[in-house]
């Protein structure tokens, strides 16, 4: 999987939050370009925080130029902000680009990332979505996925980490607790099962194949197989939660790989 991952020459991450998702084992494996897109408020906070870039600073070119952040004392932009608005916030270097964007309006991403030449749409590309699609209405997600397969002509992989399985007792209670806090997940309600999440990447979106599984399945198969030495080590950690609680939580998050093209297909094998 590592070899296939780094054969993908560009990366686009949606919703990385306060922590940069850009990281790599070494300079030889650097992608040609890594782009992160988030809300304007998050981008401003990221640019204002030196700590946020501590992990990636050694990997960035000495020519990197991070633009001065907008004033954090100013009134925040309305949320969600006006679709189609091009925010001036952004940071750039030869291999790293941080900018704001409205994922409900892929035309903005097209202008800011493709038409501007920030990303080369002909190169193999990895798209990463971290708990983003659950906050988007189903039509916005469908539009975003179709844009991705149409905007990039090279091999493509879309990796999505999301909430999952809303129809279980645990899932229903989770949604209830979030609603009490004023948090709504329209994307999860539109695709409440693993099967529904996987289907949205089908032929209408333009991917060749997709696979969705719970993070518990990924953990047990790839990271910490039952009965392994690694499992015994992890279970001995003080920070490890109760095993039943851990299984319940991990069983309600999913990881999806949607692929198009021969090189990207190696990620899912």
């Amino acid at each position: 999987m590592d070899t296939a991952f780094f054969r993908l020459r560009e990366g686009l991450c949606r919703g990385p939050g306060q922590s940069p998702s850009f990281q790599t084992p070494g300079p030889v494996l650097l992608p040609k370009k890594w782009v992160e897109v988030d809300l304007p408020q998050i981008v401003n906070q990221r640019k204002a925080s030196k700590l946020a870039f501590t992990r990636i600073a050694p990997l960035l070119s000495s020519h990197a130029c991070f633009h001065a952040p907008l004033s954090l004392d100013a009134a925040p932009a309305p949320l969600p902000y006006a679709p189609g608005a091009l925010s001036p916030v952004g940071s750039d270097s030869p291999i790293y680009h941080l900018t704001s964007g409205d994922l409900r309006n892929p035309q903005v991403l097209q202008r800011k990332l493709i038409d501007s030449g920030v990303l080369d749409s002909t190169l193999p590309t990895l798209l990463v979505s971290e708990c983003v699609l659950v906050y988007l209405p189903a039509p916005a997600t469908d539009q975003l996925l179709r844009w991705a397969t149409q905007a990039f002509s090279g091999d493509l992989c879309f990796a999505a980490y999301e909430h999952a399985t809303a129809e279980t007792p645990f899932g229903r209670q989770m949604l209830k607790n979030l609603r009490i806090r004023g948090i709504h997940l329209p994307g999860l309600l539109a695709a409440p099962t693993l099967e529904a999440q996987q289907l949205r990447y089908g032929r209408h979106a333009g991917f060749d194949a997709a696979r969705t599984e719970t993070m518990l399945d990924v953990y047990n198969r790839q990271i910490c197989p039952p009965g392994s030495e690694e499992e015994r080590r992890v279970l001995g950690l003080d920070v490890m939660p109760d095993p039943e609680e851990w299984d319940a939580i991990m069983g309600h998050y999913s990881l999806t790989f949607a692929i198009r093209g021969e090189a990207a297909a190696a990620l899912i094998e």
Side-chain angles (χ1 to χ4, degrees):
M1 178 176 287
D2 288 345
T3 301
F5 178 91
F6 289 108
R7 200 160 58 229
L8 295 168
R9 298 295 305 284
E10 296 182 327
L12 171 59
C13 180
R14 289 94 174 243
Q18 297 291 349
S19 300
S21 60
F22 177 77
Q23 51 187 315
T24 177
V28 176
L29 299 177
L30 285 174
K32 183 176 181 179
K33 193 78 173 185
W34 186 262
V35 175
E36 294 182 348
V37 180
D38 215 313
L39 295 171
Q41 296 93 325
I42 300 298
V43 172
N44 283 334
Q45 293 171 16
R46 286 271 301 277
K47 290 192 303 172
S49 172
K50 294 181 180 179
L51 181 62
F53 291 103
T54 300
R55 284 178 17 205
I56 64 173
L59 301 174
L60 298 178
S61 165
S62 59
H63 300 292
C65 177
F66 295 102
H67 303 166
L70 297 179
S71 172
L72 298 181
D73 296 329
L79 214 178
Y81 52 92
L86 288 175
S87 172
V89 296
S91 298
D92 198 15
S93 83
I95 60 173
Y96 177 78
H97 187 81
L98 170 65
T99 189
S100 62
D102 188 343
L103 299 184
R104 299 167 304 155
N105 191 340
Q107 288 74 23
V108 173
L109 299 179
Q110 179 71 30
R111 293 196 298 270
K112 297 184 74 170
L113 303 179
I114 306 299
D115 296 345
S116 65
V118 170
L119 288 174
D120 184 343
S121 62
T122 66
L123 293 179
T125 301
L126 171 67
L127 307 178
V128 180
S129 172
E130 302 180 48
C131 288
V132 171
L133 303 184
V134 290
Y135 295 102
L136 296 180
T141 294
D142 293 341
Q143 184 182 25
L144 181 64
L145 295 177
R146 286 194 298 270
W147 168 80
T149 56
Q150 294 169 4
F152 296 93
S153 59
D155 290 341
L156 186 66
C157 177
F158 194 109
Y161 168 69
E162 301 289 344
H163 298 73
T165 54
E167 295 182 338
T168 66
F170 184 99
R172 288 193 291 270
Q173 184 63 46
M174 177 184 69
L175 288 174
K176 180 180 178 181
N177 293 341
L178 290 172
R179 282 195 296 268
I180 292 175
R181 298 168 56 191
I183 300 173
H184 301 278
L185 306 178
L188 180 58
L189 296 176
T193 65
L194 297 179
E195 294 77 9
Q197 288 193 7
Q198 182 170 306
L199 284 174
R200 64 185 173 191
Y201 298 91
R203 65 181 185 276
H204 295 300
F207 291 95
D208 295 335
R211 185 176 73 187
T212 300
E213 52 190 336
T214 68
M215 288 303 301
L216 181 61
D217 291 334
V218 174
Y219 180 80
N220 287 337
R221 186 184 69 255
Q222 300 282 358
I223 302 173
C224 196
S228 67
E229 183 65 30
E230 179 65 8
E231 182 189 46
R232 288 189 287 271
R233 185 192 69 83
V234 170
L235 290 177
L237 299 176
D238 292 337
V239 297
M240 191 66 183
D242 177 79
E244 292 186 2
E245 179 184 355
W246 172 260
D247 289 354
I249 294 173
M250 294 288 279
H252 286 79
Y253 285 85
S254 68
L255 181 64
T256 297
F257 284 112
I259 56 175
R260 188 195 63 201
E262 183 178 358
L267 274 171
I268 212 167
E269 294 177 355

